[in-house]
Amino acid sequence: MSATSAFSAQASTGQPQSQKVTRVLTGITTTGTPHLGNYVGAIKPAIEASLDPNVESFYFLADLHALIKCQDPKRVQESRLEIAATWLALGLDTDNATFYRQSDIPEIPELTWMLSCVCAKGLMNRAHAYKAAVAENEEADNQDPDKGVTMGLFGYPVLMAADILMFNANKVPVGRDQIQHIEMARDMAGRFNHLYKGSFFSLPEAVVDEKVQVLNGLDGRKMSKSYNNTIPLFVAEKKLLKLVRKIKTNSLEPGEPKDPDTCTLFQIYSAFASAEDTQAMREEYAAGIGWGDAKNRVFEYLNEHLREPRERYLALLEDPAHIEAVLQKGAEKARAQAAPLMDRLRTAAGLGRFI
Ligand code: TRP
């Protein structure tokens, strides 16, 4: 990894004077167990970006967001621990990056309220997640188009805007489905700045990295918890073998040449392997490697690469006190940024102290 990344370009408009480096921020909703697709698509690039000295990174567990779609406390609690342990096991340097839990920063829900009061309801009506819920109700001929829609779901983009604006993030690495939310955050930032006559907030930009791979899952569709086709990043060795064997292939026999470019197994392999090893595997496909052999090779490769971080991960899960301490320290660092800005915002809105 070079010392600069895609993120270290000139910061965007509205940058407060005191802030010299580009701020990169992203949140991970804590409802699932990290899988290979999360690793390749989000975790690995984020950890690498955090090594760039021209970048200040903020990564957080979006556990308030988790409550929107998951009301199983055990799952939320487990997922928070698993995700934190995963990022730490993979080498996130928490002296360098600010790593925290959203729910440890009371300024975030406070800012959410302030933004709610400048955010047009009509803007939220256009949010994808809400529109999808309404469309589903209409399709099912439900009397109430808002059936099952909570205020949490409806206002989801406001909470997300608060996450971003609270730390004056310039760049927000996200998947395509989240671009609209960043645009909404810009809209809210602009309105607030205009209404209260100040440059309180930078205008964030979404960063969608075209080079980052979207990994396919066991059934060949995009690897995703909602398709139930994932390979968890740190499953036990035996289970990993079992899952790799389940990856869908075709009925070509050993000896018949196979096409790597339409093959999920190859795609997963190449996301981890070096260019050289990927090329060698490509040649094996052309020479007609059998699916059983190919799967064993992919398993061996993944297992080799995941062994060490898996050991660290398991050790971390055994030591929640350590994880808690790391996150508390992260929250302190984050609040040192959030609290002074929140004071300015309160004063701007007429909620300042009397003396
Ligand atoms: N909504 C994002 C997702 O589902 C997670 C998220 C919450 C987030 N707050 C954020 C991402 C702020 C970027 C910035 O993927």
Side-chain angles (χ1 to χ4, degrees):
M1 176 70 195
S2 68
T4 55
S5 69
F7 300 129
S8 61
Q10 194 58 45
S12 69
T13 45
Q15 175 93 329
Q17 284 299 309
S18 57
Q19 197 182 299
K20 298 264 176 351
V21 297
T22 301
R23 281 222 176 135
V24 176
L25 173 144
T26 200
I28 316 105
T29 306
T30 52
T31 50
T33 299
H35 54 69
L36 297 185
N38 298 139
Y39 172 68
V40 170
I43 309 174
K44 187 163 172 257
I47 291 178
E48 282 173 358
S50 77
L51 300 174
D52 182 339
N54 302 314
V55 160
E56 226 180 320
S57 356
F58 287 70
Y59 299 139
F60 68 95
L61 308 174
D63 53 358
L64 297 175
H65 275 102
L67 302 187
I68 296 169
K69 44 183 178 175
C70 182
Q71 287 162 348
D72 173 355
K74 201 166 156 270
R75 183 78 284 256
V76 173
Q77 181 71 312
E78 253 169 31
S79 172
R80 297 192 316 159
L81 191 67
E82 287 172 354
I83 293 175
T86 298
W87 283 66
L88 298 176
L90 291 169
L92 178 69
D93 177 351
T94 54
D95 290 329
N96 194 14
T98 305
F99 186 54
Y100 55 98
R101 271 183 304 227
Q102 187 185 29
S103 64
D104 281 335
I105 318 295
E107 289 81 5
I108 292 176
E110 188 175 355
L111 177 55
T112 301
W113 181 252
M114 285 203 180
L115 295 175
S116 292
C117 295
V118 303
C119 176
K121 174 180 176 281
L123 188 69
M124 295 298 97
N125 287 343
R126 292 192 284 280
H128 296 316
Y130 171 63
K131 271 173 62 178
V134 170
E136 225 173 88
N137 281 331
E138 280 169 354
E139 240 162 71
D141 266 337
N142 279 325
Q143 292 262 309
D144 179 5
D146 284 338
K147 185 168 180 234
V149 176
T150 63
M151 287 306 290
L153 175 67
F154 187 65
Y156 173 120
V158 188
L159 178 57
M160 187 158 159
D163 290 333
I164 297 167
L165 302 180
M166 189 82 262
F167 298 100
N168 274 311
N170 311 109
K171 308 268 177 185
V172 185
V174 282
R176 293 203 161 280
D177 59 322
Q178 299 288 319
I179 296 176
Q180 185 196 38
H181 296 149
I182 315 301
E183 278 160 9
M184 290 175 162
R186 289 172 72 90
D187 188 295
M188 287 175 237
R191 275 172 196 245
F192 194 101
N193 285 346
H194 177 74
L195 185 64
Y196 291 113
K197 299 183 183 58
S199 59
F200 302 100
F201 300 123
S202 311
L203 301 186
E205 278 170 41
V207 184
V208 179
D209 191 342
E210 303 292 345
K211 292 192 304 292
V212 164
Q213 285 206 45
V214 177
L215 219 57
N216 290 338
L218 300 176
D219 58 359
R221 291 186 293 173
K222 176 186 169 194
M223 191 180 288
S224 160
K225 189 168 75 83
S226 34
Y227 294 148
N228 200 16
N229 65 355
T230 68
I231 301 181
L233 191 52
F234 294 132
V235 278
E237 209 169 300
K238 269 195 189 153
K239 178 86 191 183
L240 180 62
L241 177 60
K242 236 170 128 178
L243 288 170
V244 170
R245 290 206 171 130
K246 263 174 97 172
I247 296 171
K248 193 171 156 202
T249 48
N250 55 30
S251 56
L252 291 174
E253 298 288 334
E256 293 186 80
K258 299 175 175 65
D259 178 14
D261 296 318
T262 54
C263 177
T264 297
L265 188 65
F266 182 82
Q267 194 220 14
I268 293 177
Y269 180 78
S270 64
F272 285 82
S274 65
E276 268 178 5
D277 290 342
T278 302
Q279 185 52 32
M281 184 63 104
R282 201 171 262 289
E283 285 159 20
E284 297 266 17
Y285 267 61
I289 188 172
W291 289 128
D293 288 346
K295 286 181 172 179
N296 285 341
R297 289 269 300 275
V298 172
F299 160 74
E300 290 298 339
Y301 206 96
L302 287 178
N303 195 40
E304 199 49 47
H305 278 72
L306 296 174
R307 180 174 290 129
E308 276 181 24
R310 180 167 54 212
E311 275 168 18
R312 286 196 293 272
Y313 172 78
L314 294 173
L316 281 161
L317 286 186
E318 291 297 308
D319 191 3
H322 173 74
I323 298 180
E324 184 63 36
V326 168
L327 290 171
Q328 289 295 339
K329 224 176 106 193
E332 227 173 88
K333 252 164 80 181
R335 290 195 71 194
Q337 300 285 333
L341 176 55
M342 203 61 231
D343 268 349
R344 279 182 65 209
L345 301 177
R346 278 195 208 112
T347 302
L351 304 178
R353 291 169 187 271
F354 290 134
I355 45 144

